[in-house]
Amino acid sequence: MSLQTVKFYQTGTFTVGNRLLAEDERTIQATAARSNSLNCGHRACQGCGEALGARYAIDAAMAAANGQLIAANATGCLEVFSTPYPETSWQIPWIHSLFGNAPAVASGIAAAMRIKGRSDVRVVAQGGDGSTTDIGFGCLSGMFERNDDVLYICYDNEAYMNTGVQRSSATPPAVRTATTMPVGPEPGNVFGQGKYLPAIAMAHGIPYVATATVADLRDIEYKVRKAINIRGAKYLHIFVPCPLGWGSAAHDTINLAYLAKECGLFPVFEAEQGEVTGVSKIRRLIPVEEYMKPQRRYAHLFGKKPALETIAKIQARADHNIKKYGLLEQGAQR
Amino acid sequence: MSIVLDKPFAITLDVGSSLANKTGSWRTARPVYLDRLPPCNNQCPAGENIQSWLNLAEEKQYEAAWRKIMEENPFPAVMGRVCYHSCESACNRGTLDLPVGINSVERFLGDQALKHRWKVEPGKSTGKKVMVVGAGPSGLTAAYHLARLGHAVTVFEASAKPGGMMRYGIPKYRMPREKLGAEIARIREMGVDIRLDSKLDDVARTMNDGGFQACFLAVGLQRGRCVDIPGAGEGQEKIAVVDAISVLRAVELEEATALVGRVVVYGGGNTAIDVARSAIRLGAVSVTVVVLEPREHMPAHPAEVKEGIEEGLHLINLRQVRRIDGKVLTLEIMVAGDGREYLHTGQSETMEADVFVQALGQAGDFNALCNLPGIVIEDGAVEVNAELMTGSAGVFAGGDMIPAQRNVTAAIGLGKKAARNIDAFLRGEKPRLKPKADIADFSKLNTRYYSDAPRTIRPILDVVRRSSGFAEIVGNLDEESAVFEARRCMSCGNCFECDNCYGVCPDNSVIKLGPGNRFKFNYDYCKGCGICAAECPCGAIKMVPEEI
Ligand SMILES: Cc1cc2nc3c(=O)[nH]c(=O)nc-3n(C[C@H](O)[C@H](O)[C@H](O)COP(=O)(O)OP(=O)(O)OC[C@H]3O[C@@H](n4cnc5c(N)ncnc54)[C@H](O)[C@@H]3O)c2cc1C
Ligand SMILES: Cc1ncc(C[n+]2csc(CCOP(=O)(O)OP(=O)(O)O)c2C)c(N)n1
Ligand code: SF4
Ligand code: SF4
Ligand SMILES: [Mg+2]
């Protein structure tokens, strides 16, 4: 009789840590020595996905850069909740200038480091989806086009949260915000508008583009380390649920990020020189409703008369992603 | 505060840390760590702390894991063979894929202990003397725990060898005697005095003469129960009619048994199947088991029935034996009525047999107890109170002889409980009861964090080899598979230091205390979002409303 001979570690690599793994196989977040780049006392809402995603990513960047890191930050929640002058939660060299210019500031820092011969110092720029896809897009595209040695991280919570949940070009269709149709036959954000920045970044042919969610720490740490070790322009797009703007429970932040990936609405992949090189497969495929229902921004679709057509259109978007990025394992059941 | 002019351009205040901002004041609910009771532990009749020894086995700390079992149960190698492992039916992993093979891992640990001769030390002597009647699982377990508590224990046993039904009932092919013997020897090495061939006929007198301050009765049910069947024993050419308990005892003693020719066993329990499978091994021409219940309602463990059928036993369900005429049995055909009722049809069929074994349950022989004042025997069992004390002060009872679940594991659990209560009695105290924690049912878990992993199966000796001898039929898991199996455990309700809470807190409000010491919350900054509780895989964090 043949017996199983695989290595198996109870939770494998799904949990943050795992006492059964060798030290060097553990995550940075699992160590007591992590840099806690974004320290406590910050004023983000309870259960803020952006605060969590930022600590995950910047701690990983700090580890990859041996502590030699400078970050430029766009205006938005991440900046406002972390740094109400003169207090700050950042435990790294960090600079805030404007809503729309973080990529340009970072490009400048990278140039300065080059002139000073400090190739050991790595540069990160970060901002919300509004600053990235809308107002800062010109600076970002320029940074890509020049292949400046910067890792740009977008924390995508799918709207302008800091100023009260206004629509951005990353807001998905049908989602209700403060600036979309409140009533009428089809309330919420329109279909057929908006932009998908990871694909636009890839079109620049930069060395590295990746997406990730706060539900998969190991994936974030892997992608940040990889990006920090590449010279040139890198783009990382992290999906970060926002309890306030989405009308979701504070404790549901990681779960929603997980469901967004599992239903196919948020594809998780990496691309080099404009070509997709790796995808995170769906573990257990779910219908989009399972992801949407716990969020009040979709509540109008699930009233007495569910908006079946709208839901079907959203499902079609997920199905499209699944096909386009090959999100299902070979032979997996639909 | 320093003067504005000392500052760089456009700076008027010193840079401060956000640590000044105690966000803990926002909280309306606070996370707290707790240990919930895993369903397996809750189910185990011997009260084993399964989750906790699996946790040690996962780390390959086999001796520590074994010692954890030994805190409750001195028979891991026996358990890994004869326990009906109801823990596995309760295991939460069964809802996800398949239950953890708890029993296989226990057997692996039990065998490791025998291989490495791990021992348990007795407790510091209290100078108190306790007697135990019966060296079955219940009596031996009580003796073991009493010895750990420092009492001097004497066990009186009627038979020539200790073990009770573990030896004289359960056949060798399921319970190899060298393993049983070794686990009992380990108890003897703790100073427990087991007096064999010492059948007591007056417990009250022995207690008095020996100066014992307390007594534990665990005499089991030693007689096979029989029904009178019209025609049995009449005529010239007759069927030999015997009872299962005597037959199995004879098999163990290697005496000539009646199990020759065409054997019919009457009864649907484990004992019936054990007799039938023994008969096959002893070379009976044919072995038929006649059962009142339909197969799905037979009291015997389904796996035993299945293995017996593989070995060649013939099963006839829904029949009642009506008459015996010479070598012919008349069976009435029954039909299932509502629930567990079986209705007569008046129709019958016949079959020939040389031996008819009645396996219809057991009865006790409590003559030795009659001089104990206040003892009450009802419905063939001895009455006890919640502390397992009989009506006679200082005399406790457990195992098969009291109205309870009747299996080895339950007998062990009752032996342990009795030992703890006897200890309290000897110290003139009330037994301490720990309040039961909340059960960590499936809904408390976040199972997406567990790896997908199918269960490993213990190898089984192939059919031809097992039907022709008394070799042990269920093999061991090798070390790698045992560890794999242990690691399938989800640690329901008990922190296993996966670092999830430490990682997922958006406010860095979980403090890691280092290996083995778990975590604590920093309530100065915890905002009470509840992510840690939601993302704890095993349900070891609870949100408690703040008093506002
Ligand atoms: C054939 C068979 C198969 C079984 N298979 C299983 C199984 O696979 N798994 C399982 O969990 N359970 C099984 N059981 C049930 C299990 O064996 C019993 O529930 C268990 O052994 C009861 O333990 P006990 O200590 O109460 O009594 P026993 O095991 O019956 O031990 C009582 C002891 O007391 C001694 N004794 C009795 N009277 C006196 C006296 N007057 N003086 C001195 N000594 C005395 C007896 O000799 C005996 O050694 C089986 C039972 C049978 C009969
Ligand atoms: C030029 C300019 N326009 C408008 C604003 C106001 N403003 C501050 S933050 C913000 C929205 C930020 O949204 P996003 O980038 O998505 O970040 P989030 O707060 O959602 O994390 C706006 C509109 C500003 N600071 N500067
Ligand atoms: S509004 Fe959203 S993004 Fe901003 S702090 Fe609150 S949860 Fe975080
Ligand atoms: S998974 Fe482990 S702790 Fe949970 S019920 Fe099963 S064996 Fe017990
Ligand atoms: Mg935003």
Side-chain angles (χ1 to χ4, degrees), chain B residues 505-526:
Chain B
C505 175
D507 291 278
N508 301 345
S509 296
V510 178
I511 300 165
K512 184 171 166 134
L513 300 173
N517 298 322
R518 301 184 170 180
F519 308 87
K520 74 175 190 198
F521 291 108
N522 183 348
Y523 293 117
D524 280 351
Y525 299 100
C526 162

Side-chain angles (χ1 to χ4, degrees), chain B residues 82 84 134 137-138 157-158 164-165 174 200 222 248 274 400 407-408:
Chain B
V82 307
Y84 298 129
S138 208
E157 167 55 50
M165 286 301 172
R174 293 205 286 124
L200 296 190
Q222 304 305 320
L248 287 169
D274 279 341
D400 276 4
N407 57 58
V408 174

Side-chain angles (χ1 to χ4, degrees), chain B residues 38-41 50-51 54 87 90-94 99-100 102 440 445 488-492:
Chain B
C40 52
N41 296 13
I50 298 166
Q51 172 275 331
L54 282 174
C87 54
C91 173
N92 277 332
R93 181 113 208 178
V100 174
I102 301 170
L445 309 180
R488 292 183 62 245
C489 170
M490 304 189 288
S491 193
C492 307

Side-chain angles (χ1 to χ4, degrees), chain B residues 350-388:
Chain B
T350 58
M351 68 182 296
E352 291 201 5
D354 300 306
V355 189
F356 181 64
V357 187
Q358 299 206 34
L360 300 173
Q362 290 157 250
D365 171 358
F366 303 135
N367 287 336
L369 314 182
C370 53
N371 282 340
L372 289 167
I375 201 136
V376 180
I377 297 168
E378 210 165 295
D379 285 336
V382 170
E383 302 261 289
V384 290
N385 66 14
E387 276 132 43
L388 297 180

